[in-house]
Amino acid sequence: MTNTEHSWTQAGHGSRESVEPAPTTTAIAAGIQLPAGFAAIAGDPDLGPAIMTSMARVEKRLREAISNSDPLADATSRHLVEAGGKRIRPLLTLLCSHLGDWTRPEVLQAAAVVELTHLATLYHDDVMDSAPYRRGAPTAHEVWGNTVAILTGDLIFARASILVSELGGRALSIQARTFERLCLGQLHETVGPREDQDPVEHYLSVLADKTGSLIAASGQLGAIFSGAPDEFEHVLVKYGENVGVAFQLADDVIDVTGGKGTSGKSAGTDLREGVPTLPVLLLRRAADGGDESAREVLRLIDGDLSSDEALAEAVEALSAHPVTTESWAAAREWAGAAKAALAPLPEGVVKQSLAAFADAVVEREA
């Protein structure tokens, strides 16, 4: 059986008949917009078309992988895929594969695996966060309830596991260890730091697990299955870990500086939900150290934020406090570490694009 010929029927797999034919790869590629930081790809006459075509093939493979003969499972599984998304993780897999032989079919399969894994976590995260919207659409638990949403996340991860098992033991090991870290990151975020643990260090470790691990695996798998030089694998893992933390830290600051950025959240969402992001953790550290201005802002943050007026006042106060600037500096430091990790890679559009993406994740202040 080839990688594109799956027999899903035992577990209800398989596409339901559709009244409309599936779009062609060319049509999908024409509609793809690369995320910020990847402009150099589109401008390259060789890399651009290759990446766009590969992204379109991954998109088709995602839809094939989640299709189900059961109407409910099919609808719930398609929910987030059809809502769109930037597809950053599969893009990184495809981009890094150009450090080797990007035409190997395993590359496309690996790219689909990382995005399916990401999608599975989103179903679970939205339930835990009671999030009403994701990518502009009502979340699955809002439409079908928590139980169905959780089971859909499990189902999508099962599909990812089937695909990765076909790639061999090494890919399966990377996938399993990455998913372990995703779960541990969520668990540690939920229970909080130990009494003897610094809250900021705890938080950074959570981000490394919840966000950095899968981004790192994305680039790593692209290198492995393209047959890129072995030494590039470690480079891409280090890059992915750092850029993932930078990405999430930037989202933290965007929450208190206004604008939805790429997080899709309105300003103050994390404050209202009591999420301990870096600006708040640094604020508490400053208050514990005797900073009276930090204590005044904390009184607002720890107060009743149910009204829009109270939330706006807390957002404005935190945004104006020096800890917000300090948080931006921390995000840029992690992005800088990601760029520094790229030093061993050969000069070219791949390295340039990875560096530009690291810059882009911390330039989302609008």
Side-chain angles (χ1 to χ4, degrees):
M1 183 184 299
T2 67
N3 287 336
T4 57
E5 295 172 347
H6 298 286
S7 178
W8 303 110
T9 54
Q10 305 98 310
H13 303 259
S15 302
R16 302 178 64 209
E17 292 185 4
S18 174
V19 292
E20 296 183 5
T24 64
T25 299
T26 302
I28 296 174
I32 292 175
Q33 292 187 341
L34 294 175
F38 293 104
I41 294 175
D44 187 278
D46 296 319
L47 186 63
I51 289 288
M52 292 301 192
T53 299
S54 294
M55 286 290 288
R57 288 172 176 162
V58 170
E59 194 68 25
K60 291 186 72 173
R61 188 161 297 194
L62 289 175
R63 293 169 187 265
E64 292 167 0
I66 62 167
S67 64
N68 201 298
S69 58
D70 178 272
L72 176 60
D74 191 71
T76 60
S77 298
R78 289 181 180 277
H79 188 66
L80 277 186
V81 170
E82 295 182 348
K86 295 187 180 298
R87 306 288 194 250
I88 288 172
R89 291 154 189 83
L91 175 57
L92 288 174
T93 301
L94 297 174
L95 178 62
C96 293
S97 75
H98 282 261
L99 295 168
D101 180 4
W102 63 272
T103 64
R104 294 182 177 181
E106 293 86 355
V107 170
L108 293 178
Q109 186 130 329
V113 165
V114 295
E115 184 64 9
L116 287 172
T117 302
H118 175 57
L119 288 170
T121 66
L122 296 184
Y123 280 84
H124 293 164
D125 287 352
D126 287 341
V127 170
M128 296 189 70
D129 297 341
S130 299
Y133 294 98
R134 167 74 67 177
R135 298 173 176 172
T139 50
H141 70 88
E142 288 286 333
V143 179
W144 293 284
N146 286 351
T147 301
V148 170
I150 291 170
L151 289 171
T152 300
D154 294 344
L155 177 61
I156 292 174
F157 182 66
R159 295 292 171 85
S161 299
I162 292 170
L163 292 181
V164 78
S165 69
E166 297 173 350
L167 292 174
R170 190 175 182 198
L172 188 58
S173 176
I174 292 171
Q175 163 81 342
R177 293 178 187 278
T178 300
F179 199 68
E180 178 186 39
R181 289 186 62 190
L182 292 170
C183 294
L184 285 172
Q186 185 65 64
L187 176 64
H188 293 156
E189 181 181 57
T190 301
V191 301
R194 303 184 307 271
E195 289 187 6
D196 62 343
Q197 190 175 19
D198 178 72
V200 173
E201 292 303 315
H202 168 267
Y203 183 62
L204 292 174
S205 71
V206 166
L207 298 190
D209 285 339
K210 284 191 61 178
T211 306
S213 63
L214 187 55
I215 292 179
S218 300
Q220 181 182 15
L221 291 172
I224 289 172
F225 288 107
S226 67
D230 291 343
E231 59 267 26
F232 292 171
E233 185 181 339
H234 174 72
V235 169
L236 296 172
V237 168
K238 188 174 181 180
Y239 166 83
E241 294 274 357
N242 285 315
V243 83
V245 173
F247 187 97
Q248 197 58 55
L249 289 177
D251 270 2
D252 286 357
V253 187
I254 289 169
D255 183 69
V256 297
T257 57
K260 292 187 176 181
T262 60
S263 66
K265 299 184 297 186
S266 299
T269 299
D270 289 337
L271 292 184
R272 176 172 279 169
E273 295 176 354
V275 177
T277 57
L278 185 63
V280 175
L281 292 173
L282 293 178
L283 191 73
R284 295 193 187 281
R285 175 188 283 179
D288 290 342
D291 185 336
E292 185 56 37
S293 67
R295 290 173 180 170
E296 291 177 5
V297 178
L298 271 180
R299 280 192 283 271
L300 295 174
I301 291 174
D302 292 337
D304 183 1
L305 298 180
S306 57
S307 73
D308 291 342
E309 293 76 15
L311 180 63
E313 184 180 6
V315 166
E316 183 178 1
L318 181 55
S319 180
H321 195 277
V323 295
T324 297
T325 300
E326 188 179 346
S327 298
W328 268 129
R332 292 191 176 101
E333 183 177 349
W334 282 88
K339 291 169 62 179
L342 298 172
L345 296 186
E347 297 301 323
V349 179
V350 174
K351 183 176 182 177
Q352 178 186 348
S353 297
L354 292 173
F357 175 62
D359 286 332
V361 301
V362 292
E363 292 172 356
R364 299 174 291 144
E365 302 181 40

